[in-house]
Amino acid sequence: MGTVLCILLLLCGLLLVDSIPGEQVRVRISVSGDTVVLQFLLPDPAAVLEGFLLGYGRQSGATTLVTLPAHGAPYQLETEAEPKYLLAVRPVPRKPVEKHCTGVAALDPPLVAGSLSPTAVFLSWGPEPHREGEVMEECLEEGFYTVRYRRRGGPWAHQSSPTAAAVLAGLRPASRYEFRVRASRGQRHGPWSAPLLHSTGPGANDMHFLISSASRLDLWEESEVFSSQPNSDLDAMGKKRFVAPHVVYKTDKRPEEPCSVTSSLLFFPGEKPGESDASTPPQAPPSNLTVVTVEGCPSFIILDWKNTDNHTQEYEVISTATGPDGEEVSVLMTDQTHTVVENLRPESSYAFKVKPKNDLGAGPPSEPVTFSTESADPRVSENASGKDAIWTRFPFRTAPPSDCTGQQYVKRTWYRKFVGVQLCNSLRYKIYLSDSLTGQFYDIGDEAGFGEDHCQFVDSFLDGRTGPQLRPQQLPPRTGFYRAARQEPVRLGPLGAGAPAGYVSWYECGTPIPGRW
């Protein structure tokens, strides 16, 4: 199935050309008065085209969903001269489809949403790589997707879609919605995807109300993922978890699942910093400073706050740790209204505050909020009290680059080799092995899986999350160490195409690096 082609059209005569893998699709657009004529030109006249056109603009109820004709036939639309249109089309495979249909698809990639108007949202997603017989596109006549969505505190609404995209109309302007999607076939359903939180645009009377609106803390009160109370009052070591009005717990992590900064940040979409023509330093401090913590993950938290001064260009996030050696202060800079604070110590007390800044100076800081981290999970790594971090920052030579491009750390391992890690963040990194500190550091291949047991090299007892998970024949050939099972000695040899072992570009093992054991 070709990917969806989405084009934003302005009402003017133009020719748009875009490429779809395996196809060359051209859209010819002509405009005369209130008439828009679209003609889809494909190199193969036997191709079947499907999709929709949605018009929107100044009127809140201007959404119009129409089905496009197949086989590239022209379509003529009488409009009310709205200034914008969204067009989404894709070609249907021409080859006969073999129906295996033995399962339903699980959705792993995150949902993506965009506001079309104050009352309409365009939602898209994609299935993860599946085992044979579980691909939804193999069951075109029988498979479909179900989207469910709701406003904060409201009931769920449902909508079906035959493709991996949907337009949800009739929404309330300037409102926060939660979206989920699952794949279905007949009466069989896959699991619901991770939720996406998205705000609709303001209507004509809602602009003042919307003015960066309630905090995320208020909006998450009815969420299935976030809660003001943890699932369990006690952590893995039986210590009582810290609970306060300014703390939100992310409660959906399974006990055997490694902690992940990356997946937690998916719930905090990036904001485009607004332009500020500041004439003075910020005058008001940020408000609603909230600590978001993942239950069972003591090494990081996410701070979220609300901006209250339109002169703000960036924020200084100040973290103060209190311990036996006194106070330890660290500072982060960000232009977002949230940030992750990593490498926190288990069973430690912290205070956080946020200070607004611009080119002319700094404004007053927010009121500080306190937080105490929970105990380290003994299932993740061995806890040797009193030991300093065994990771040493050291630049080493690697094979072609990985997805992780941050700092490099090394340590000795019981394999009588050196382990090297390159950070994406403290909980996501690429793992390498080498026979010498100054020699080449190699990828680690897996003959029986996707490197989940390689977390053993960073002293984690969990099977980690790894990615992208590709078979050896899908990977460029490399030289590296490889094995088939945990505890098995490694051998140096070929990896990737033409070899029995594949490799991955990152690992999440639940063990923060650098850290303390």
Side-chain angles (χ1 to χ4, degrees), residues 213-362:
S213 62
S215 69
R216 285 193 180 97
L217 175 60
D218 296 327
L219 296 168
W220 289 337
E221 285 180 353
E222 303 297 329
S223 171
E224 297 179 357
V225 175
F226 297 92
S227 172
S228 59
Q229 297 288 328
N231 283 330
S232 172
D233 291 337
L234 303 179
D235 63 23
M237 299 299 290
K239 173 191 170 186
K240 192 171 180 64
R241 288 191 166 107
F242 185 89
V243 178
H246 57 267
V247 176
V248 171
Y249 277 86
K250 185 172 181 287
T251 58
D252 65 331
K253 190 188 82 70
R254 299 186 301 273
E256 70 278 6
E257 181 183 7
C259 296
S260 173
V261 171
T262 307
S263 62
S264 300
L265 284 174
L266 291 177
F267 294 90
F268 297 78
E271 305 123 12
K272 183 178 180 180
E275 295 183 4
S276 173
D277 187 13
S279 57
T280 65
Q283 302 298 303
S287 64
N288 291 14
L289 182 57
T290 303
V291 177
V292 182
T293 182
V294 181
E295 189 170 336
C297 298
S299 73
F300 76 96
I301 56 96
I302 299 171
L303 291 178
D304 180 76
W305 60 90
K306 180 181 177 183
N307 177 38
T308 56
D309 194 308
N310 58 10
H311 288 170
T312 301
Q313 294 173 334
E314 60 181 357
Y315 302 92
E316 185 177 81
V317 180
I318 305 165
S319 307
T320 304
T322 303
D325 298 328
E327 290 188 346
E328 182 178 335
V329 179
S330 61
V331 176
L332 295 171
M333 300 299 298
T334 180
D335 60 2
Q336 305 288 297
T337 56
H338 65 270
T339 192
V340 60
V341 183
E342 303 179 70
N343 290 313
L344 302 181
R345 295 191 294 268
E347 299 186 59
S348 299
S349 298
Y350 290 86
F352 306 101
K353 58 184 177 181
V354 179
K355 182 186 297 185
K357 302 185 74 174
N358 62 24
D359 294 337
L360 300 177

Side-chain angles (χ1 to χ4, degrees), residues 194-212:
L196 170 70
L197 302 177
H198 181 78
S199 294
T200 54
N205 299 322
D206 299 308
M207 188 65 74
H208 177 71
F209 168 78
L210 188 63
I211 295 175
S212 183

Side-chain angles (χ1 to χ4, degrees), residues 445 470-480 493-503:
L470 301 175
R471 297 296 179 186
Q473 60 269 22
Q474 299 174 281
L475 296 165
R478 293 184 183 177
T479 298
L495 308 178
Y503 53 88

Side-chain angles (χ1 to χ4, degrees), residues 6 89 127 129 155 178 236 309 325 344 378 407 429 437 442 449 477:
C6 295
V89 296
E178 178 181 346
D309 194 308
D325 298 328
L344 302 181
Q407 295 178 352
Y429 30 77
L437 188 62
Y442 294 100

Side-chain angles (χ1 to χ4, degrees), residues 8-22:
L8 185 66
L9 307 181
L10 301 179
L11 281 183
C12 58
L14 48 87
L15 177 68
L16 294 181
V17 180
D18 209 324
S19 295
I20 290 180

Side-chain angles (χ1 to χ4, degrees), residues 429-448:
Y429 30 77
K430 176 63 185 269
I431 306 176
Y432 300 91
L433 287 179
S434 177
D435 286 318
S436 67
L437 188 62
T438 57
Q440 177 76 37
F441 278 71
Y442 294 100
D443 287 85
I444 311 171
D446 195 336
E447 294 180 294

